[in-house]
Amino acid sequence: MRRKEFAVEDPGEIESFLREMSFGFLGTVGPDGWSRVTPLNFVYDGRCIYFHGSRAGEKMKHLKQDPRVSFTVAKEYAIIPSYFTDPQLACPASAFFKSVMVRGLAESVDNPEEKASALTLFMEKLQPEGGYDPITVEDPKYTGQLKAVSLFKIVPEEISAKFKFGQNLTEPRFNDVTSGLENRNLELDPDTVSLMKRFCPQHAGETPGDA
């Protein structure tokens, strides 16, 4: 990563972000050498990333041909307009975000118990209000479903994370941006200010993890 000040190496920060998010981008390479990026839902159990789909299709052909994959998750918190810090230059325009990239091997999951456990995680994340019978291998309603669904897991070999929240700003510019966000007050602006103070304690008078 070129900008080391944005790198995040705390496993807890990375795990928390991956558990929060439900949507990512799977990178595969096909027999013709062309890459493919597939947007899909996923869950992370602290060890593996799980995703599912049909048993046919280009994505599955790629995975059978080469199990090496990349997986990227990102969340944009705020667009930072240039006029927050400079009334004339366009250069200060930026965006604050979190992103995590995983590299590893995609493995087919065939064990019914593991399938049921992973699919339960999907339901807990995507339908937290409930409204369905628990997914178990003992329930005959799910026997055919568990056999039919194609489930994969990515066992990470490398994880890198980039959280950009003004770590490269001088204190005057940091204060200008936080003021601009507080005055603008879009949906994620308060969260962005909180994260700026968390990841830039040298400007906010806090220690990492306070906010």
Side-chain angles (χ1 to χ4, degrees):
M1 184 180 297
R2 187 173 63 88
R3 299 298 297 267
K4 297 297 183 182
E5 65 266 33
F6 303 137
V8 173
E9 298 180 355
D10 181 350
E13 291 282 358
I14 295 171
E15 178 173 341
S16 177
F17 180 60
L18 289 175
R19 285 185 181 274
E20 170 197 347
M21 301 299 288
S22 62
F23 199 78
F25 297 87
L26 176 71
T28 58
V29 178
D32 57 2
W34 283 93
S35 61
R36 171 190 172 97
V37 176
T38 305
L40 45 75
N41 290 115
F42 78 98
V43 291
Y44 181 64
D45 70 348
R47 299 175 298 107
C48 304
I49 288 172
Y50 288 94
F51 62 92
H52 61 79
S54 66
R55 294 187 177 276
E58 186 177 6
K59 176 180 64 180
M60 295 304 175
K61 290 180 181 178
H62 283 203
L63 293 174
K64 290 177 180 179
Q65 187 264 338
D66 191 337
R68 293 175 299 172
V69 298
S70 64
F71 191 79
T72 301
V73 184
K75 179 178 180 179
E76 185 177 72
Y77 281 79
I79 298 294
I80 308 301
S82 61
Y83 53 75
F84 275 5
T85 55
D86 194 295
Q88 295 177 316
L89 289 178
C91 303
S94 187
F96 288 172
F97 61 88
K98 292 182 180 181
S99 67
V100 172
M101 188 179 79
V102 175
R103 289 181 179 176
L105 300 178
E107 302 176 6
S108 178
V109 177
D110 299 314
N111 180 277
E113 292 284 355
E114 187 174 1
K115 275 190 172 184
S117 177
L119 294 174
T120 295
L121 291 177
F122 272 102
M123 293 302 296
E124 291 173 348
K125 175 173 279 190
L126 301 177
Q127 193 172 312
E129 71 275 16
Y132 58 91
D133 291 337
I135 303 172
T136 66
V137 295
E138 294 82 14
D139 190 335
K141 295 192 299 295
Y142 290 116
T143 301
Q145 301 290 336
L146 290 172
K147 289 181 179 179
V149 69
S150 180
L151 181 72
F152 279 80
K153 66 180 177 183
I154 303 171
V155 181
E157 295 184 0
E158 178 184 344
I159 299 179
S160 60
K162 180 177 180 179
F163 293 6
K164 182 179 178 181
F165 290 98
Q167 295 95 319
N168 61 328
L169 296 177
T170 62
E171 186 165 354
R173 286 182 177 268
F174 179 92
N175 292 334
D176 287 342
V177 172
T178 55
S179 295
L181 290 169
E182 288 167 348
N183 291 330
R184 187 175 67 179
N185 199 32
L186 297 179
E187 181 181 3
L188 292 180
D189 285 350
D191 290 341
T192 304
V193 172
S194 178
L195 288 164
M196 289 178 67
K197 293 178 179 179
R198 180 179 180 185
F199 289 104
C200 308
Q202 71 276 19
H203 296 325
E206 301 176 3
T207 57
D210 278 351

